Amino acid sequence: MAKYPRIREQHIAVFGESGSGKTVLVSSFFGPTQEGSYSNDLWDLVADDTGQGNRLYQNYLGMRDRARTPAPTRFEATTYYFSVKLKGGDNPAATKRPFDALRLAWHDYPGEWFEESPSSEEEANRRIDTFRSLLRSDVAILLVDGQKLLDYAGEEERYLKSLLTNFRQGVLRLKDELLGDEDRLVEFPRIWILALSKADLFPDWDIHSFRDLVIEKAANHIEGLRSTLNDLVDTPDALSVGEDFMLLSSAKFQLAAASPEPVEIDVTQRVGLDLILPVASVLPLERRVQWSERMEIPRKVLDTLADGAETLAAVLVGGKALGIDKLVAFLPKVGPLAGMAAIPVLTEAAKLAGSQLRAINTQAREHHDYLTATLTQFKLDLDQGVKNKLFIRSLK
């Protein structure tokens, strides 16, 4: 008998220096979904750990009602688990869907660990263990602190150089421990997005403004980071570093004239947070197809790159309605043909767009197929993020 609920898990890793807004970001991602006025016709967002969820919602309420930002967390590595629980559990179609909930594991890596040396052996071991847990992620987000970018206006290269160099050197210091007995790592985040946090400080910017500034001021340092990460991973061609860009803002902060403390926080003015779930769930599938079309990727790498992508693809294209589920059922799970056999399904799903994608979404909603409706909506949201100039996805 199948176990319920059936869960599919996606991981993202969020890196950023101390004060770059990581805790505020995750609080603003989760908090609005808990408000009484919030509604979503496809799914509910639940924090798997009730205490953790309450703390995040408390942070959110502090911002919303008292203009109070969350207390800083130093050297505190936290993984937040959220479940996107699909509605329609009593629907007959629900028994046939491959999973009932999408779990998002959001790994927070303390910025201090890239800026300061561990104060004890215990902390050094904890740092290694934390980084290893991040290696399960499909997507990594490296935050560029908007406030620091503003502080260095006119000489942004100084801040960007410091950020990227600290991060690169931090990875180099951990390299031997991370590799262990392996020559190269097979499981590793393959998509590294550069994201501007506190984007509300730049009301006239779109994602192209941010991308252009970073490339103009720090192209060499991005290349240095890419080179360092290349040396860590198996099949380094299947690695995107500094090719995807994103704008993020947890709220609109109104600061006092003579104090860094906010006097008002408008939590309704968030930017980019609605793209977190689409980025975590759909982007790895798209990237896997892009890479598969231009290179041969070893099966051992494919198995860690958008793991379970075949199932995800079948759901996206409408599953049984298009007969794709039968094709998926006959896909070899192992062996040299496994990757090749899956490519038509993956390609079909990854390239869905425009009217065809909207038609599948509409049909899924009419049939109360909440899983296909949710995933196609994520893909529509990702495409809209690009159109709204909040996100740039690599075309390589």
Side-chain angles (χ1 to χ4, degrees):
M1 179 178 290
K3 294 181 179 179
Y4 292 93
R6 297 156 296 190
I7 295 173
R8 176 179 170 75
E9 196 163 284
Q10 298 291 128
H11 292 246
I12 62 168
V14 179
F15 298 93
E17 292 179 315
S18 55
S20 59
K22 296 191 295 299
T23 305
V24 177
L25 206 60
V26 68
S27 300
S28 282
F29 166 76
F30 177 69
T33 65
Q34 307 306 300
E35 292 183 301
S37 58
Y38 178 83
S39 68
N40 187 303
D41 59 341
L42 298 176
W43 45 266
D44 294 306
L45 188 66
V46 176
D48 290 7
D49 183 312
T50 302
Q52 198 176 65
N54 285 341
R55 284 192 294 278
L56 290 177
Y57 191 48
Q58 184 183 43
N59 289 342
Y60 175 74
L61 294 176
M63 290 191 290
R64 188 192 70 181
D65 299 336
R66 305 183 188 285
R68 185 180 64 209
T69 54
T73 56
R74 284 179 57 81
F75 300 105
E76 188 174 324
T78 306
T79 296
Y80 304 94
Y81 287 96
F82 305 103
S83 289
V84 179
K85 294 199 169 183
L86 300 171
K87 296 185 176 179
D90 297 331
N91 190 307
T95 61
K96 299 177 182 177
R97 61 195 185 196
F99 55 92
D100 305 297
L102 179 68
R103 176 180 291 153
L104 174 67
W106 176 313
H107 300 279
D108 231 14
Y109 189 86
E112 288 84 356
W113 280 344
F114 286 118
E115 302 163 31
E116 304 173 28
S117 299
S119 58
S120 66
E121 184 177 347
E122 179 188 352
E123 188 179 309
N125 291 334
R126 190 152 49 89
R127 184 176 64 166
I128 290 292
D129 290 343
T130 299
F131 208 107
R132 284 185 177 135
S133 73
L134 300 180
L135 300 184
R136 299 176 59 194
S137 302
D138 296 305
V139 177
I141 297 176
L142 176 56
L143 298 180
V144 175
D145 188 333
Q147 181 60 59
K148 289 191 176 178
L149 209 55
L150 203 57
D151 293 342
Y152 283 85
E155 46 184 1
E156 293 88 350
E157 61 274 17
R158 289 179 56 199
Y159 164 60
L160 293 170
K161 176 183 177 181
S162 169
L163 170 70
L164 295 167
T165 301
N166 282 344
F167 189 79
R168 175 172 171 265
Q169 291 182 344
V171 172
L172 283 172
R173 280 194 291 270
L174 298 176
K175 182 178 178 180
D176 290 342
E177 288 92 340
L178 293 176
L179 287 176
D181 296 331
E182 300 178 67
D183 291 332
R184 298 289 183 101
L185 296 171
V186 173
E187 188 168 32
F188 194 79
R190 297 280 174 167
I191 303 171
W192 288 72
I193 299 173
L194 290 180
L196 174 65
S197 68
K198 309 172 187 174
D200 57 295
L201 295 172
F202 300 88
D204 298 328
W205 278 21
D206 62 25
I207 190 58
H208 298 281
S209 308
F210 171 61
R211 188 270 314 269
D212 291 353
L213 178 93
V214 170
I215 297 296
E216 179 190 2
K217 304 286 187 179
N220 290 341
H221 298 289
I222 294 174
E223 188 54 37
L225 176 60
R226 181 185 294 119
S227 175
T228 297
L229 298 180
N230 277 354
D231 290 341
L232 277 176
V233 299
D234 192 310
T235 318
D237 286 343
L239 180 69
S240 291
V241 180
E243 300 172 18
D244 301 80
F245 297 84
M246 191 173 182
L247 294 186
L248 291 170
S249 179
S250 303
K252 176 69 175 175
F253 291 74
Q254 182 69 43
L255 303 180
S259 168
E261 296 301 319
V263 294
E264 183 179 351
I265 302 176
D266 184 351
V267 295
T268 65
Q269 295 195 46
R270 297 181 298 275
V271 174
L273 290 171
D274 292 340
L275 297 179
I276 293 290
L277 288 172
V279 160
S281 58
V282 175
L283 190 64
L285 169 66
E286 293 184 353
R287 197 57 47 85
R288 174 171 164 171
V289 169
Q290 287 172 237
W291 287 335
S292 295
E293 286 182 328
R294 68 176 173 87
M295 72 179 90
E296 288 190 14
I297 303 177
R299 182 66 198 181
K300 62 180 182 180
V301 176
L302 277 179
D303 286 341
T304 64
L305 180 60
D307 183 33
E310 295 87 350
T311 302
L312 204 61
V315 173
L316 263 173
V317 297
K320 191 173 182 177
L322 297 179
I324 298 297
D325 60 331
K326 295 178 181 176
L327 178 54
V328 171
F330 288 106
L331 287 177
K333 304 301 182 190
V334 297
L337 295 179
M340 293 297 295
I343 286 177
V345 181
L346 299 177
T347 303
E348 180 83 14
K351 294 188 176 178
L352 279 173
S355 58
Q356 188 182 19
L357 183 59
R358 286 192 291 275
I360 294 175
N361 179 265
T362 300
Q363 178 180 294
R365 288 173 181 270
E366 290 173 352
H367 293 172
H368 304 292
D369 179 354
Y370 291 87
L371 180 55
T372 295
T374 295
L375 291 180
T376 49
Q377 187 61 54
F378 284 168
K379 192 161 170 52
L380 286 167
D381 291 344
L382 197 61
D383 292 344
Q384 192 62 45
V386 174
K387 290 178 184 174
N388 290 345
K389 299 181 180 179
L390 300 175
F391 182 67
I392 292 177
R393 55 154 72 93
S394 172
L395 299 178
K396 290 176 59 181

